[in-house]
Amino acid sequence: MELYQILNELDQAEDVHLGRILILLNEFSQGKREKKIEGLTKLAKLDFLLRYPLYLERALIARRKSTKNVQILPHEKDSVESKMVRYKYGPWDFRYRKFINILIGLGLAYYEQEGKRINIGITPKGKEYAEKLLQTHSFDDVRRRAKLVKTNFDLSATSLMKFIYQTFPEIGSLDLGKEIQHEN
């Protein structure tokens, strides 16, 4: 199998993306009142931080927060999954709508229309599935980092977007589809 085929198959592993997004939605639903993520753009920016721990670490440093719970593993520094690709709107995977629609279709998430914005939440069935995923320990890093993302980056969508582009100016300066180089 050629390298491009291997890379393509890794990126097509939608179950991993769905699981990560479900855990993110679950983490944001924790607390005294159920909380939804306000808009696909905010979801994409939060998931960017969750999906790419090297960027999460840089974001925490920019906010003068502790990075000890990021716990970047050696294989995450140079793996295919650690490489961020610039999509149309920066760290926005064009498949987010598809992922959310799959989660909604499976009864694991829901959305509410609020003007032009779509708020995304997790259903009781989704919470149950997220907890099952978390019991496997395969998602321990995702859980720990999702907590960091919620604790430190639960900002308004506009504030989060501005923070991301100020902290990572390289995101907006590359051609579409190009890998964004990160600092190790």
Side-chain angles (χ1 to χ4, degrees):
M1 188 177 283
E2 298 206 20
L3 180 60
Y4 76 92
Q5 289 174 309
I6 294 168
L7 297 178
N8 187 43
E9 286 182 18
L10 279 174
D11 198 45
Q12 298 305 317
E14 290 181 352
D15 293 347
V16 173
H17 299 298
L18 293 170
R20 186 187 62 250
I21 292 168
L22 191 63
I23 290 169
L24 182 63
L25 289 171
N26 187 54
E27 184 60 39
F28 270 76
S29 75
Q30 305 297 321
K32 293 181 181 177
R33 63 180 183 89
E34 183 177 342
K35 187 163 184 177
K36 298 171 279 298
I37 294 179
E38 303 88 13
L40 283 171
T41 300
K42 182 174 178 178
L43 173 71
K45 303 307 186 231
L46 294 170
D47 187 51
F48 162 70
L49 294 171
L50 181 58
R51 185 176 182 177
Y52 302 106
L54 293 166
Y55 289 95
L56 174 58
E57 185 176 62
R58 281 179 58 196
L60 288 167
I61 290 168
R63 293 196 58 150
R64 295 181 170 82
K65 303 291 183 177
S66 171
T67 61
K68 86 174 183 177
N69 285 331
V70 177
Q71 299 177 11
I72 298 172
L73 303 171
H75 75 272
E76 291 177 308
K77 291 186 179 190
D78 291 312
S79 73
V80 172
E81 291 82 12
S82 72
K83 309 278 193 255
M84 171 59 202
V85 174
R86 180 171 183 255
Y87 295 105
K88 187 174 182 182
Y89 302 107
W92 169 278
D93 189 324
F94 64 92
R95 298 171 297 174
Y96 277 113
R97 289 185 193 278
K98 177 182 179 181
F99 294 153
I100 294 303
N101 284 331
I102 290 170
L103 292 172
I104 290 169
L106 293 170
L108 304 176
Y110 67 93
Y111 77 94
E112 294 174 348
Q113 189 84 29
E114 188 177 300
K116 292 183 177 183
R117 184 175 62 205
I118 295 173
N119 298 324
I120 303 125
I122 190 168
T123 65
K125 181 180 175 183
K127 288 181 183 192
E128 182 183 321
Y129 274 65
E131 288 304 318
K132 285 180 184 177
L133 285 175
L134 293 169
Q135 289 172 9
T136 68
H137 300 292
S138 298
F139 286 91
D140 286 348
D141 294 329
V142 175
R143 172 197 293 239
R144 187 179 60 258
R145 292 169 185 162
K147 288 180 186 295
L148 285 172
V149 169
K150 181 182 180 193
T151 302
N152 295 286
F153 302 101
D154 189 10
L155 310 169
S156 73
T158 302
S159 295
L160 183 59
M161 182 179 66
K162 286 179 182 177
F163 171 78
I164 294 286
Y165 288 112
Q166 287 171 352
T167 307
F168 312 110
E170 66 272 22
I171 288 173
S173 64
L174 290 176
D175 293 332
L176 295 179
K178 296 291 183 186
E179 182 183 305
I180 297 171
Q181 300 299 318
H182 56 76
E183 301 169 8
N184 284 335

